Amino acid sequence: MRTTAVTVSKRWWRWVGAAACGAVLGAAPVARAQDETPVEPRPERLYFNPGALLGSARVVSLGGAYVGIAEGAAGFPSNLAALAHRGPTLEKDWDLGVTLSWLDLPFTSGRTRDVDNDGKPDESRDRRQLLGGLLLQYKRFGIGFALRNSAVTYCATTTCASDSERIRVSMTQSVLAGAVSFGQDDFILALGIYAAQASFRLASGGTDLRYGDTGVAVDMLYRPHGRPWRLGVTVRPEVVADWRREDGQTPVLAGRTLFGAVVSPAVLSLGASWRLGEGAERYNRLSPAARRQLILDGDALPVPEEEPKDAPAGRWLISAQVDLLSSVDNAVPLRSFASTAEEERVGDTTEFAPRLGVEHDTVPGMIRLRAGVYAEPSPFDGRPPRPHVTGGFEIFVLRYWEDWSISASFDLARRYSNVGLSIGFWR
C-alpha cells in the first residue's frame, strides 16, 4: 500500500507540472501582446458636441438665438453675414470690431457638472472655454477671423496622483471668412473656411498629439429696409479631423490608446428676429455710410431719407432659432478618456435645438437687459433634451476712440452652470 501511494503521488506531480508548463506557454503570447505598444489609433472618433452653448455674453444671454440678428464682432461666429452688416450709426467707409469672451470662470462648479449632457457628473478635473473674434469692414465688404477653444483635463488612471497621469484635451473651432452685402444692404452672403482641431498631451507637458481638418461654411442674412424683422440661415459642414501623426509618435498617451479622429457634426440653423415698440420699422435702416455709398454709386436703387442718430428703433428685440444637428458614424464621447467612463456610441440620430431670446433697452444708450431659453439636445441615446435658462446685461462704460461696453451672462441648467464676461463695442 505504501508503494502504491508513492506511485500515485509522482504521477500527480507530473500532471501538475505539465499543466503549469502549458499555462505558462499559453500565457506568454498574451503577455507579449499586452506589452506591445499599439502602432495605430483606435477606429472610433471623438465627438465634438455642438449642443453646448458657446459665444459672447450677448449670444449666451439670448439663449444662442443669434443667427437672425447677426450684428457685430460678437455675432459673426454665429452668422458670418455679420461681417458685412454695417451698424445703423456707421459714418465711415470702414469699421473694426473685436470681441473676447471667457466662459466657465474658476469660481463656477467643477467635477459635479454635466457638460456633455449624459445625465452623469463629468469626470474632468477642470475646464476652460475662450472665444475671440475680429472683423474689418470696408464699404459693402467684410472679412474676419473667429476662434473658440475648450480645454479640459481627464484622469487616465483611477489614482490620478500626478500630472503625468492626467490628459489635457484642447478642442478648437475656427473660421476665416468674407462677406458682401447687396442692394440697400438687404441681403448679405458670406463664405468661410471652417476648421476643427484638437490636441492631446500630458498635463505635465510633452509633445502634443494633433488632429485637424477643414470645410466650407455658407451663411446668409435677409434684412429688408423699412421692415421690423430679419431672417438668417447658416450652414456648418461636418468636419472629420484625422490624427496628424508626426515622426516617431505612437497613438498612446498615459497608457491609453488614442482615437483615430475627432468629428464635428454638420449644423443647419434657421433664425428670425423682430423689433417691437416705437420706431421698430427702423430696425434695418441704412447707416450714413451705406446711404452715402448709394448716392455715389448712382444705382437705380432708391435712397432713403436721412434720419437722426438717436431716432428710436424699438426697445424690444425678440429672436427665435432652431438648429438641426446631423448624425455621425462611429463616434464616442470625449469623456471616453476618463478611466472610469463606460464607452458608448453617440450622435447616431439627428437632433433639434430650439432657442428663444429677448432683449430690452432698459436705459437707452446705457443699459440693456437680456433673457433667453433653449433646449440642449443630448447626443446620447435615450437622453431627453435639457432645458436651459439664460440671461445677462450690457452696460456702457466710456467713449475712447469707440464706445466701449462690458457684458455679463449666465446659463443655468440641471448639473450645468456657465458664467461669462465680454468686453466690446456698444452698438
Side-chain angles (χ1 to χ4, degrees):
M1 294 295 295
R2 189 175 304 166
T3 304
T4 303
V6 172
T7 304
V8 172
S9 177
K10 288 181 179 179
R11 290 177 180 175
W12 184 81
W13 280 112
R14 290 193 192 103
W15 294 337
V16 171
C21 183
V24 171
L25 292 176
V30 177
R32 285 195 297 269
Q34 291 177 344
D35 293 339
E36 290 178 357
T37 300
V39 296
E40 295 295 334
R42 297 177 54 176
E44 298 90 351
R45 303 182 291 187
L46 286 176
Y47 186 77
F48 190 102
N49 186 9
L53 178 56
L54 282 176
S56 69
R58 188 185 187 195
V59 173
V60 173
S61 298
L62 294 173
Y66 213 79
V67 168
I69 298 176
E71 293 177 347
F76 96 81
S78 300
N79 188 338
L80 302 178
L83 291 170
H85 189 177
R86 290 179 278 194
T89 61
L90 181 65
E91 296 183 347
K92 308 182 295 291
D93 285 338
W94 63 274
D95 193 20
L96 179 68
V98 62
T99 184
L100 180 65
S101 302
W102 184 19
L103 299 97
D104 288 330
L105 298 177
F107 50 80
T108 57
S109 57
R111 298 187 68 181
T112 59
R113 81 173 67 194
D114 177 18
V115 174
D116 52 9
N117 193 15
D118 64 346
K120 306 172 185 177
D122 290 340
E123 299 199 27
S124 59
R125 302 288 296 186
D126 59 68
R127 184 182 294 266
R128 298 289 183 272
Q129 301 179 43
L130 180 69
L131 181 141
L134 176 68
L135 72 82
L136 177 62
Q137 294 177 347
Y138 181 71
K139 294 186 177 181
R140 293 184 178 275
F141 304 94
I143 59 173
F145 176 78
L147 178 148
R148 60 183 187 181
N149 172 264
S150 176
V152 60
T153 302
Y154 288 104
C155 291
T157 65
T158 54
T159 56
C160 204
S162 65
D163 285 344
S164 62
E165 299 177 11
R166 302 183 184 118
I167 297 177
R168 185 72 169 172
V169 182
S170 176
M171 309 284 282
T172 302
Q173 291 178 316
S174 61
V175 61
L176 176 63
V180 59
S181 63
F182 300 91
Q184 295 177 318
D185 285 3
D186 296 315
F187 181 74
I188 305 175
L189 177 64
L191 294 174
I193 303 299
Y194 182 78
Q197 298 173 318
S199 66
F200 303 83
R201 66 173 176 83
L202 293 177
S204 58
T207 305
D208 287 355
L209 300 173
R210 301 181 182 277
Y211 298 71
D213 206 349
T214 59
V216 177
V218 181
D219 295 357
M220 294 167 281
L221 180 70
Y222 180 57
R223 50 181 304 277
H225 181 73
R227 302 291 184 179
W229 51 268
R230 297 173 186 168
L231 295 175
V233 180
T234 67
V235 180
R236 297 289 183 268
E238 178 181 306
V239 177
V240 179
D242 295 318
W243 177 37
R244 297 179 174 178
R245 186 197 295 257
E246 298 180 2
D247 292 340
Q249 283 189 334
T250 59
V252 177
L253 198 61
R256 304 184 68 84
T257 305
L258 296 182
F259 296 87
V262 174
V263 59
S264 175
V267 181
L268 170 65
S269 299
L270 306 175
S273 62
W274 302 265
R275 276 284 181 187
L276 301 175
E278 182 184 357
E281 67 279 0
R282 300 189 183 94
Y283 184 32
N284 297 320
R285 63 181 175 178
L286 285 180
S287 66
R291 184 177 179 276
R292 183 176 63 251
Q293 185 177 356
L294 282 178
I295 297 174
L296 294 176
D297 290 347
D299 295 334
L301 295 172
V303 180
E305 295 293 331
E306 188 172 3
E307 298 186 67
K309 289 183 179 180
D310 57 352
R315 296 179 67 177
W316 289 93
L317 174 63
I318 300 176
S319 183
Q321 178 179 319
V322 60
D323 301 333
L324 173 64
L325 283 66
S326 72
S327 60
V328 297
D329 297 325
N330 198 25
V332 296
L334 186 62
R335 64 169 171 78
S336 298
F337 273 110
S339 58
T340 60
E342 296 180 2
E343 285 190 18
E344 57 183 302
R345 292 292 187 267
V346 295
D348 290 334
T349 59
T350 300
E351 300 287 350
F352 292 89
R355 306 177 185 274
L356 180 66
V358 179
E359 179 179 85
H360 183 250
D361 286 334
T362 308
V363 180
M366 291 294 296
I367 300 176
R368 293 183 181 128
L369 299 180
R370 301 170 180 132
V373 293
Y374 71 97
E376 176 195 356
S378 175
F380 295 84
D381 186 33
R383 286 289 303 168
R386 177 170 58 180
H388 287 244
V389 176
T390 65
F393 61 86
E394 182 178 9
I395 299 177
F396 173 80
V397 178
L398 57 86
R399 177 171 296 165
Y400 180 76
W401 181 54
E402 284 282 357
D403 293 341
W404 293 86
S405 68
I406 294 179
S407 301
S409 66
F410 65 84
D411 181 358
L412 302 177
R414 186 174 182 270
R415 284 183 173 171
Y416 182 89
S417 64
N418 188 8
V419 177
L421 184 68
S422 292
I423 300 174
F425 299 144
W426 178 275
R427 292 289 186 260

